Amino acid sequence: MLRNNYVLSCCVNFDFMFLKFKDEVSSILSDAIAKSGFETDDLALAESPHADLASSVGFKLASKYKQSPKAISEKIYANISLQADSYVANAQMTGPYINFFTSRTFLNETVLRVLLDRENFGNLGNYGKVILEHTSANPDGPLHIGHIRNSVIGDTLARILKRAGYDVETQYYINDMGRQIAVVVWGLENFKFDTTKKKDHAIAEVYINANKTLVDEKEHSPEVDAIMKKYEIGDPEIEGKFKGAIDTCMEGIKESLTRMNIHHDKFIWESRFVRSGEVNLIMDRVKALDRTELKDGAFMVDLKDVGIQKSLVIQRSDGTSLYTTRDLSYHEWKTTQCDRMIDILGADHKLISSQLKAVLHILGSKEPEIVIFEFVSLPEGSMSTRRGVFISADELIDEVEKAAYDVVDKKLPDKDDEFKKMVAKFVSIGAVRYDIIRISPEKATTFDWKEAVDFEKQGAPFIQYAHARACSIIKNAKDEGVSFEDFDPNVLLESQEIGLIKKIAAFESVIDNASRELKPNIVAIYARELADAFNQFYRFVPVITAEPEFRSARLALVECSRIVLANALDTLGIFAPESM
RNA sequence: GGGCUCGUAGUAUAGUCCGGAUAGUACUUGGGCCUCCGGAGCCUAGGACCCGGGUUCAAAUCCCGGCGAGCCCGCCA
């Protein structure tokens, strides 16, 4: 498709751009260090505003060799030998630092590489099956703004891991054996189910009413206990009722998730592990441990030696299992299906998940990798489905979509209503997802309506707009007969062009870091920086109106930007519009 | 009371794990920029590492002690 001789001559068998640059720098520096007679396994390489990669190795060796950092760096620097045509253009000494810079070859190959790989640019070569569990909200009401932090983190991580090369399966674990579902079942028999409402919201209404009544009229509590017990032993009639209630609620939840561009591959009911006998098997194995003791009829696991003061109860005195016991079975089952397990959990699960990991470890089973996110609270305090104190995801998206529509209506008054609605839709979903994902999971947040519907801050619409603008330039170029089928990347010399290419090249290492550290916000920040770099290029460097020798190369760069912006947005689960 | 997490400009945050050069960004605030490819844009100015010790050539980053916020500490999930 690309008829460019340059492509044919250089684009065979090279692997990842920035990662390869890093490798080359590492080997150049190691060689120089060895030649200088020093020894270290820490090259002290880091990205820096002063260079593409900078080493402060002089400092590291100073005390060991009793020389000044600068003297050491000078010796190493004198022994650096660069190869022609590599990704490393030159090394410079600035004070005691040794700075490395990418070469023209690196920049040129980045551009050509993106044009060849297109939507696959940024995909890495990891392998293995990953089961990623996220959301797993109890089916007793709609997803609220706390749950969707879990969903968005989970879905984005799944997308990142897929790009990193893993075979990812997402699972939603349905806690169908908890008391709250029994309350819903009891509630459905005693309260009106509002069929005019979205199903998960109608379930919440029943659940809230049922809870209120159960608090006010204590005599009904045994009725719920009876329902729970029947479900535990597998009473067919009760099972049907549970299934009906849960399916009803899940239908609404799935609708909300789909709306946010989130999909689960599997829905796993916790009761299956009780029914299959796996829970009993694992209880027996845990009971057989030296550390498990019978206390007042219940079995407790002592975990003090692994730093957990709180003992874990794995079987009640009435012989039934608990949430964690079933979770133990779930995780052992997952182990047989994959190479890595990742769970996304709220901060309230910190203790329980460390207990879970500890017991799995003691049993000789694989432990899950756990991503904990801190709570989203309301200005007036924490949310609770049971008390009816929460802002639902649907409500949030509705409001954001309305606000988005107003903005679109103002900016594009001449467009037809259908178009405006469509734009409002993907802008709002993007804004909601971006606002959640840009913040590190370990940061607790307080929800603020004013912030949530504010489109002035530089979030998803900014990135989507950059993408749309790139599309527009490409379209205009096509109309004017400008193409990039044959171009010379060597003419891309402006600082904005070079900055943009470097940013584009960084996508692979961004995916690499984000997947390694399970930090989805790295990708969010990157996408914004990429849009930033593109906007600066756009502002200062004319494309279509440029001289012919620059035109095609710049257009190729616009196409590269478009591709990587789209890939980054896709990784964030955000739609990349061609116009907005 | 014990445990875990967090504390960066007026606000929201990146950087902290693995210590290095001028602490990056957005909103807000003050100046500018359309004869030119989409102004949801660009340029520019101002402003911050909770406090106190310690380690180090070097601390936002590591250690200790405070203070403040959130979460957990149930035979709930």
Side-chain angles (χ1 to χ4, degrees):
Chain A
M1 190 169 75
L2 251 162
R3 279 179 269 114
N4 189 313
N5 291 333
Y6 193 89
V7 175
L8 297 173
S9 64
C10 80
C11 269
V12 192
N13 292 330
F14 60 77
D15 42 16
F16 306 111
M17 305 303 307
F18 191 78
L19 302 176
K20 188 181 171 198
F21 168 68
K22 209 167 182 173
D23 281 350
E24 287 188 9
V25 168
S26 298
S27 77
I28 289 167
L29 187 58
S30 311
D31 289 351
I33 291 170
K35 260 191 220 163
S36 313
F38 300 119
E39 222 176 294
T40 179
D41 48 5
D42 180 11
L43 300 176
L45 278 171
E47 288 173 54
S48 150
H50 309 278
D52 295 319
L53 273 177
S55 173
S56 55
V57 72
F59 288 105
K60 305 283 176 209
L61 298 174
S63 63
K64 184 173 171 188
Y65 291 97
K66 309 246 183 281
Q67 298 173 39
S68 77
K70 197 166 177 196
I72 290 174
S73 291
E74 271 165 359
K75 285 177 192 163
I76 295 171
Y77 183 70
N79 282 311
I80 284 179
S81 61
L82 300 169
Q83 288 194 327
D85 279 336
S86 79
Y87 282 2
V88 187
N90 62 324
Q92 284 174 5
M93 265 203 63
T94 310
Y97 298 93
I98 304 174
N99 291 333
F100 295 90
F101 297 89
T102 51
S103 67
R104 192 67 239 175
T105 307
F106 173 84
L107 298 175
N108 292 350
E109 290 191 5
T110 296
V111 170
L112 298 168
R113 179 64 184 271
V114 174
L115 293 177
L116 280 180
D117 287 357
R118 306 184 68 80
E119 69 274 10
N120 294 319
F121 179 76
N123 291 6
L124 309 179
N126 294 293
Y127 57 90
K129 170 89 178 267
V130 176
I131 291 181
L132 191 151
E133 181 208 332
H134 72 80
T135 309
S136 302
N138 290 331
D140 53 17
L143 296 178
H144 63 54
I145 55 177
H147 296 131
I148 61 170
R149 190 172 191 189
N150 188 322
S151 310
V152 173
I153 290 170
D155 183 67
T156 309
L157 268 180
R159 289 165 184 272
I160 289 167
L161 291 164
K162 276 180 201 163
R163 277 217 177 263
Y166 296 99
D167 173 16
V168 182
E169 177 178 303
T170 48
Q171 294 189 355
Y172 188 122
Y173 185 54
I174 298 178
N175 302 132
D176 61 326
M177 301 208 64
R179 187 179 173 84
Q180 75 289 120
I181 303 306
V183 169
V184 170
V185 169
W186 179 80
L188 284 169
E189 289 174 348
N190 294 282
F191 298 91
K192 191 173 151 285
F193 180 83
D194 188 344
T195 51
T196 64
K197 283 189 170 162
K198 186 163 170 274
K199 290 181 176 174
D200 46 347
H201 290 259
I203 289 282
E205 191 180 56
V206 168
Y207 179 57
I208 293 159
N209 283 332
N211 269 298
K212 205 160 168 288
T213 303
L214 287 167
V215 170
D216 296 344
E217 302 165 29
K218 298 255 187 291
E219 66 272 23
H220 295 300
S221 205
E223 297 167 28
V224 176
D225 297 340
I227 289 171
M228 266 219 300
K229 206 150 281 166
K230 278 187 184 169
Y231 191 58
E232 172 107 18
I233 59 170
D235 177 290
E237 194 198 333
I238 286 289
E239 266 192 74
K241 285 180 180 173
F242 270 67
K243 190 169 185 316
I246 292 166
D247 283 346
T248 302
C249 193
M250 286 308 297
E251 200 179 307
I253 287 176
K254 283 179 197 174
E255 208 177 294
S256 303
L257 288 169
T258 303
R259 196 176 175 193
M260 286 191 296
N261 201 16
I262 294 171
H263 159 87
H264 284 87
D265 297 313
K266 281 188 183 158
F267 292 81
I268 309 295
W269 294 49
E270 66 173 335
S271 55
R272 69 180 269 178
F273 302 105
V274 175
R275 308 274 181 259
S276 71
E278 285 163 273
V279 169
N280 280 331
L281 285 175
I282 207 159
M283 281 199 287
D284 288 343
R285 279 167 60 205
V286 176
K287 283 184 214 164
L289 298 168
D290 297 341
R291 62 207 312 134
T292 305
E293 55 174 4
L294 188 61
K295 217 178 202 173
D296 303 325
F299 285 91
M300 328 258 298
V301 190
D302 187 315
L303 299 167
K304 283 195 193 68
D305 61 318
V306 291
I308 301 169
Q309 295 307 308
K310 184 86 192 134
S311 292
L312 177 68
V313 181
I314 59 131
Q315 187 185 64
R316 291 195 186 93
S317 45
D318 68 1
T320 58
S321 63
L322 292 94
Y323 165 81
T324 319
T325 326
R326 291 169 226 135
D327 214 13
L328 240 27
S329 288
Y330 174 41
H331 281 86
E332 282 225 314
W333 172 75
K334 277 198 270 191
T335 299
T336 65
Q337 318 274 309
C338 67
D339 304 297
R340 281 174 78 180
M341 290 178 275
I342 300 170
D343 299 351
I344 317 297
L345 297 169
D348 53 341
H349 283 69
K350 276 181 202 173
L351 174 62
I352 201 85
S353 62
S354 62
Q355 289 172 322
L356 177 87
K357 278 171 80 164
V359 175
L360 284 169
H361 181 77
I362 291 159
L363 290 173
S365 190
K366 211 177 334 177
E367 298 167 49
E369 297 163 61
I370 295 182
V371 176
I372 296 281
F373 66 94
E374 290 289 334
F375 266 49
V376 180
S377 53
L378 300 175
E380 56 269 29
S382 57
M383 283 180 283
S384 158
T385 305
R386 183 173 45 80
R387 288 183 287 125
V389 182
F390 61 88
I391 293 170
S392 71
D394 297 311
E395 195 182 343
L396 170 69
I397 299 167
D398 287 344
E399 289 304 315
V400 176
E401 201 171 306
K402 258 188 246 166
Y405 183 87
D406 290 345
V407 175
V408 176
D409 192 39
K410 215 176 287 171
K411 292 189 192 283
L412 305 166
D414 302 331
K415 297 280 187 178
D416 62 74
D417 202 54
E418 201 183 326
F419 180 82
K420 288 184 209 171
K421 276 187 178 147
M422 187 189 78
V423 172
K425 207 166 187 171
F426 64 65
V427 162
S428 56
I429 300 302
V432 167
R433 287 193 65 136
Y434 192 87
D435 262 355
I436 292 170
I437 210 65
R438 61 184 252 268
I439 293 168
S440 298
E442 70 270 13
K443 228 90 160 184
T445 60
T446 303
F447 181 80
D448 180 351
W449 271 117
K450 215 166 77 199
E451 290 253 313
V453 297
D454 178 14
F455 289 94
E456 290 309 306
K457 50 184 190 209
Q458 206 174 17
F462 174 85
I463 305 160
Q464 291 173 311
Y465 188 77
H467 179 269
R469 176 183 267 162
C471 290
S472 173
I473 294 172
I474 289 161
K475 185 176 169 295
N476 290 341
K478 201 176 174 187
D479 291 347
E480 295 190 23
V482 183
S483 88
F484 52 87
E485 291 205 341
D486 200 7
F487 69 94
D488 179 6
N490 286 298
V491 303
L492 300 169
L493 292 167
E494 298 290 340
S495 65
Q496 289 86 0
E497 294 171 326
I498 291 168
L500 179 54
I501 298 171
K502 283 183 182 175
K503 196 49 92 177
I504 285 169
F507 186 53
E508 288 172 333
S509 57
V510 165
I511 295 295
D512 189 44
N513 285 339
S515 63
R516 226 178 265 283
E517 298 176 31
L518 301 179
K519 282 185 178 173
N521 61 317
I522 293 176
V523 179
I525 292 161
Y526 170 78
R528 211 213 63 237
E529 287 175 351
L530 178 62
D532 217 19
F534 177 71
N535 281 333
Q536 284 173 34
F537 159 79
Y538 162 83
R539 170 65 183 78
F540 285 102
V541 186
V543 179
I544 297 171
T545 55
E547 295 298 311
E549 49 174 325
F550 296 109
R551 222 160 44 179
S552 51
R554 287 179 183 168
L555 190 62
L557 181 52
V558 173
E559 172 70 354
C560 288
S561 308
R562 203 219 89 224
I563 290 168
V564 183
L565 280 166
N567 291 359
L569 283 170
D570 174 69
T571 309
L572 295 170
I574 299 173
F575 184 66
E578 287 180 20
S579 78
M580 62 187 276

